Amino acid sequence: MSNRSRRDAASRAEARRRSRLLERGEELAVDESEETESDGRPPAAPGGFLGRLFPPAPPLPNRPDPLAGFHYQGPFRSVVAAGYVLAKHPRAWLLPAIPWAAAQTLSRLSPQDYSPVQITTVLISVFAIIAAGWIGWERPWLFGLAATVAGTMIQGIFLALLLGTLGVEELEPWRLFIGIVFFQILQLQWILGGFIGWYGGYLRRRMSVPTTASERRRSRR
């Protein structure tokens, strides 16, 4: 008998067993209904590869409406709402911007690529933006983006003043500042900041979900 025939026979036997249980008025076990499909294998996560990589995460419980008290109904409501949320919680994106800017500055001043200093600065940058998304639960991607933009401004001002004072660069400080900002934009740092901030909020939502018995068994396999 082929593998497909055995799976079909097992599927029909499982269907008959479930039908008998339902006829007797007995309920299926929760873990059994979650883990078993018609072919006896665990159910696949929805959404294909992305669904497996980022399983759905529910919103954080017992959280108020982030736009409570916001009454603007104009044509740029989404933009104004973003500014409203950021203005209500400035520390959630300004504080992570400081270590991000420090790490980016140290990375730019470090002469060697793939050195321990460079690796450390990358880790600090990533964890700082994750923290912004974690704290800014209202709009994690927005807080990650805001922290990256604010960090770029801090880095640009510091490097422009430092390099201009030391005479390392012949350009004027404001030109140095613009050059540093464009350098971060071309490196897609702002886009990465939005994504990493979103991941910080996603990670917080995932960790708030209680682990079921079926998930514990799958993690032990």
Side-chain angles (χ1 to χ4, degrees):
M1 182 181 294
S2 63
N3 292 334
R4 182 175 180 179
S5 300
R6 284 195 293 267
R7 286 197 300 267
D8 292 341
S11 176
R12 289 192 294 270
E14 177 66 18
R16 289 194 296 270
R17 186 184 70 85
R18 288 169 175 258
S19 177
R20 287 194 298 270
L21 290 176
L22 292 175
E23 288 177 358
R24 291 199 298 265
E26 299 180 9
E27 295 182 355
L28 296 176
V30 175
D31 294 342
E32 179 184 356
S33 61
E34 288 179 352
E35 293 185 357
T36 306
E37 284 186 326
S38 60
D39 58 357
R41 292 179 298 177
F49 174 76
L50 290 178
R52 292 178 180 274
L53 191 60
F54 300 110
L60 292 175
N62 303 322
R63 295 291 175 177
D65 182 8
L67 295 180
F70 179 72
H71 304 293
Y72 177 77
Q73 299 294 334
F76 303 101
R77 189 175 190 277
S78 59
V79 178
V80 178
Y84 174 80
V85 172
L86 293 177
K88 285 183 63 178
H89 308 281
R91 290 182 294 180
W93 52 276
L94 279 176
L95 292 182
I98 297 174
W100 187 92
Q104 292 291 316
T105 302
L106 184 60
S107 174
R108 187 172 178 83
L109 296 177
S110 178
Q112 298 179 354
D113 294 333
Y114 306 107
S115 64
V117 174
Q118 292 281 352
I119 296 174
T120 302
T121 57
V122 170
L123 293 176
I124 293 175
S125 300
V126 171
F127 283 118
I129 304 304
I130 287 178
W134 181 287
I135 300 172
W137 59 269
E138 297 90 342
R139 299 287 190 277
W141 68 268
L142 178 63
F143 281 82
L145 174 62
T148 309
V149 173
T152 300
M153 302 302 153
I154 296 172
Q155 179 198 9
I157 293 172
F158 177 77
L159 282 179
L161 294 177
L162 176 65
L163 298 179
T165 302
L166 297 178
V168 177
E169 298 283 351
E170 297 179 356
L171 297 176
E172 297 178 1
W174 69 272
R175 293 182 183 272
L176 286 174
F177 173 80
I178 294 177
I180 292 168
V181 171
F182 272 101
F183 176 77
Q184 294 289 13
I185 294 175
L186 291 177
Q187 282 197 321
L188 306 180
Q189 290 290 346
W190 293 7
I191 296 177
L192 288 174
F195 173 75
I196 296 173
W198 170 85
Y199 179 76
Y202 168 80
L203 186 63
R204 183 175 182 178
R205 296 197 306 273
R206 283 292 298 170
M207 295 182 67
S208 67
V209 178
T211 305
T212 62
S214 60
E215 290 176 342
R216 288 194 296 268
R217 282 198 296 272
R218 280 196 289 267
S219 64
R220 289 195 296 266
R221 292 174 183 172

